[in-house]
Amino acid sequence: PECQHRIGRSTVDFAWPAHRVVVETDGWAAHRTRTAFETDRARDAHLATRGWSVLRFTHRQLHEQPELVLAALRARLTA
């Protein structure tokens, strides 16, 4: 993946440009407000209009359920 990849007006956590897949990692500290929630959804919609798929994972999922993250990412990258 490319880290901190720029797509239009958005910078995403991780991107696989050849597959048009984005992974966003959402920690509670930075994403717990209504504003952050709304901003994230607007960014997802913006990316979707440009043909990108967005997968979002929480900090807890990354650390406690890495198999879930990997399975979802594999499924999307091989679709």
Side-chain angles (χ1 to χ4, degrees):
E2 295 184 19
C3 300
Q4 297 300 300
H5 183 73
R6 188 105 176 125
I7 303 169
R9 65 181 187 228
S10 300
T11 300
V12 300
D13 293 334
F14 303 97
W16 284 259
H19 300 278
R20 299 187 76 76
V21 172
V22 165
V23 167
E24 292 283 45
T25 55
D26 297 339
W28 178 248
H31 297 270
R32 67 180 172 201
T33 66
R34 177 172 291 282
T35 300
F37 180 83
E38 297 288 340
T39 299
D40 287 346
R41 296 320 163 281
R43 180 176 22 208
D44 290 355
H46 171 73
L47 291 169
T49 65
R50 297 176 71 104
W52 290 80
S53 296
V54 179
L55 299 174
R56 287 189 171 274
F57 301 104
T58 66
H59 182 267
R60 185 177 301 202
Q61 288 170 322
L62 291 169
H63 289 275
E64 295 179 12
Q65 298 175 305
E67 66 286 345
L68 169 91
V69 174
L70 289 172
L73 189 52
R74 271 192 204 108
R76 184 53 192 91
L77 292 175
T78 59

